[in-house]
Amino acid sequence: VQLVESGGGLVQPGGSLRLSCGASESDLQIYTLGWFRQAPGKQRELVASITIGGILRYADSVKGRFTISRDDAKNTVSLQMNNLVPEDTAVYYCSAKFIDQWKYWGQGTQVTVSS
């Protein structure tokens, strides 16, 4: 499974970005999908996930600001990020879970929140 992210960039504090992730040759609807992020000097952390049945989970730090969604018809998963703060600055990765393991990863997209 090859995942490709898009939508990162530079945004001012309080701004919004929408990340998207797709797979051209795989059927993402059979996987739980998630967004992770890794800031410099920190461990990669799970930001949000969505199961096949649509159950959502969020890290406490992004609850109420980020929304994960999936479009199985388009074979994509998205992360809408609102009210961004500098602490959200990181490389964001999408991932697909296979048999309880986050097995497949995209190459990452940089999100920088700065004035």
Side-chain angles (χ1 to χ4, degrees):
V1 177
Q2 290 188 329
L3 303 174
V4 179
E5 303 100 336
S6 62
L10 173 63
V11 63
Q12 292 186 342
S16 298
L17 280 176
R18 184 176 180 87
L19 306 181
S20 294
C21 175
S24 60
E25 298 183 355
S26 300
D27 193 357
L28 293 185
Q29 66 181 299
I30 67 174
Y31 300 102
T32 288
L33 302 172
W35 286 95
F36 289 73
R37 67 185 180 187
Q38 187 167 20
K42 294 187 177 182
Q43 290 188 332
R44 189 173 298 188
E45 63 171 342
L46 178 61
V47 174
S49 64
I50 181 168
T51 68
I52 298 170
I55 296 173
L56 309 177
R57 290 186 177 178
Y58 295 96
D60 288 343
S61 59
V62 306
K63 282 181 181 177
R65 301 189 298 121
F66 289 12
T67 302
I68 188 172
S69 60
R70 63 191 298 162
D71 187 335
D72 290 337
K74 295 183 178 180
N75 219 27
T76 60
V77 58
S78 299
L79 185 69
Q80 177 66 41
M81 305 185 294
N82 298 328
N83 195 21
L84 285 160
V85 298
E87 291 73 24
D88 295 320
T89 295
V91 178
Y92 284 71
Y93 301 87
C94 70
S95 183
K97 196 173 190 180
F98 181 71
I99 310 179
D100 293 329
Q101 180 183 2
W102 292 102
K103 184 173 181 178
Y104 304 110
W105 296 87
Q107 81 288 351
T109 185
Q110 177 69 46
V111 171
T112 302
V113 184
S114 175
S115 56

